């Protein structure tokens, strides 16, 4: 399978050259990254060139890299795999307001060649993340882009009907952003006097939920739980 992946990578590199950059992926996957300015041209080439023929956009998703590489694994021990450490040292961690916090990922399928490819583009402006819409290239992007706009606040330039698709029209914020409060910003309820749904500030008290840890060892033997010492 790796030979097939490398063969496909050679075809992509031959047609797109410096317009895309190959990124690390699993052994059975092929992933590339491109810039916002080159996005539409790259997508059209991936769809139309006979050696590629990625006719289907299977999925489109937004990504928020706000906490990527910054959070430590809080455990009692440390291993070489990274427990109790972050991806970046404290002194070298990226600025959360730097360009590239938000990204859009396109998962493509070539029905003609039975191949898959993942393409990622980062939004250069974190305050107002904008990329070009690919609805004219893949019609299935219509609702996918609306979902990414609704949940992440990513804007798609040229989309024919960019509005919320999962949350309510009066919803405040974008719930999949890493800095969105878990309790939300507003709550809704039906007002029998007004005979309609009304919005009001959230009444939930923020609290930390600590999961219960169950360890299967000798401390949980029935005799010990009953206060008896086994003989």
């Amino acid at each position: 399978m790796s030979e097939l992946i490398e063969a496909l990578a050679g075809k992509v590199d031959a047609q797109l050259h410096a317009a895309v950059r190959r990124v690390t992926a699993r052994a059975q996957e092929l992933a590339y990254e491109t810039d916002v300015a080159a996005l539409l041209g790259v997508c059209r080439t991936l769809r139309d060139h006979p050696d590629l023929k990625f006719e289907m956009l299977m999925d489109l998703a937004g990504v928020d890299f706000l906490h990527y590489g910054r959070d430590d694994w809080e455990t009692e021990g440390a291993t070489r795999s990274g427990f109790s450490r972050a991806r970046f040292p404290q002194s070298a961690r990226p600025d959360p307001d730097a360009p590239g916090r938000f990204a859009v990922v396109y998962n493509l399928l070539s029905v003609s060649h039975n191949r898959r490819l993942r393409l990622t583009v980062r939004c250069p402006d974190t305050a107002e993340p904008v990329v070009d819409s690919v609805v004219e290239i893949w019609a299935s992007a219509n609702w996918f882009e609306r979902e990414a706009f609704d949940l992440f606040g990513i804007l798609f330039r040229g989309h024919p009907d960019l509005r919320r698709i999962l949350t309510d029209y009066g919803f405040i914020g974008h719930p999949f952003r890493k800095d969105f409060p878990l309790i939300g910003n507003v709550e809704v309820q039906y007002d029998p006097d007004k005979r309609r749904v009304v919005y009001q500030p959230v009444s939930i008290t923020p609290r930390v939920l600590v999961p219960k840890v169950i360890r299967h060892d000798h401390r949980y033997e029935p005799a010990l739980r009953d206060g008896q010492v086994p003989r």
Side-chain angles (χ1 to χ4, degrees):
M1 181 63 71
S2 60
E3 295 181 359
L4 296 176
I5 294 296
E6 293 304 320
L8 176 59
K11 295 178 181 178
V12 173
D13 295 337
Q15 300 305 322
L16 295 173
H17 307 289
V20 294
R21 300 173 296 278
R22 189 172 179 179
V23 295
T24 303
R26 294 182 178 181
Q28 309 301 325
E29 297 179 350
L30 183 62
Y32 282 90
E33 187 176 70
T34 189
D35 297 325
V36 169
L39 176 63
L40 293 182
V42 167
C43 290
R44 289 193 180 95
T45 300
L46 290 173
R47 182 195 64 179
D48 297 337
H49 196 277
D51 290 340
L52 304 176
K53 296 292 289 183
F54 286 97
E55 308 101 328
M56 295 187 65
L57 173 66
M58 300 299 296
D59 192 18
L60 180 154
V63 181
D64 183 359
F65 289 99
L66 177 63
H67 298 310
Y68 179 74
R70 299 180 182 88
D71 291 340
D72 292 320
W73 291 76
E74 296 182 0
T75 60
E76 295 179 356
T79 67
R80 293 183 179 179
S81 60
F83 291 101
S84 297
R85 306 189 187 110
R87 181 177 178 88
F88 301 106
Q90 186 71 32
S91 59
R93 297 185 187 181
D95 179 4
D97 297 324
R101 170 184 166 181
F102 297 101
V104 181
V105 179
Y106 306 83
N107 291 302
L108 308 177
L109 171 65
S110 171
V111 177
S112 301
H113 302 301
N114 190 24
R115 298 289 182 267
R116 295 179 184 270
L117 181 143
R118 182 167 62 252
L119 179 68
T120 301
V121 59
R122 294 228 183 186
C123 305
D125 189 353
T126 295
E128 188 175 340
V130 181
V131 299
D132 290 314
S133 172
V134 297
V135 171
E136 293 186 359
I137 301 174
W138 296 292
S140 60
N142 193 317
W143 283 17
F144 291 147
E145 290 181 348
R146 286 180 58 187
E147 181 182 37
F149 160 70
D150 190 359
L151 301 180
F152 290 93
I154 300 173
L155 302 171
F156 293 88
R157 186 186 298 108
H159 190 283
D161 186 23
L162 191 62
R163 55 192 171 93
R164 293 188 182 271
I165 191 172
L166 294 177
T167 60
D168 190 74
Y169 293 112
F171 192 87
I172 298 176
H174 304 282
F176 275 19
R177 289 191 173 190
K178 299 297 184 181
D179 52 2
F180 185 83
L182 295 180
I183 61 174
N185 295 309
V186 297
E187 64 183 26
V188 298
Q189 69 174 7
Y190 180 76
D191 189 324
D193 297 328
K194 297 180 179 180
R195 296 183 178 181
R196 64 179 176 86
V197 172
V198 296
Y199 294 86
Q200 62 187 23
V202 292
S203 58
I204 302 174
T205 302
R207 58 195 177 103
V208 178
L209 299 178
V210 180
K212 180 180 179 181
V213 179
I214 300 177
R215 297 180 176 87
H216 297 284
D217 56 31
H218 68 279
R219 291 174 294 174
Y220 296 92
E221 291 293 334
L224 292 179
R225 287 203 302 266
D226 297 336
Q228 303 174 6
V229 179
R231 302 189 181 204

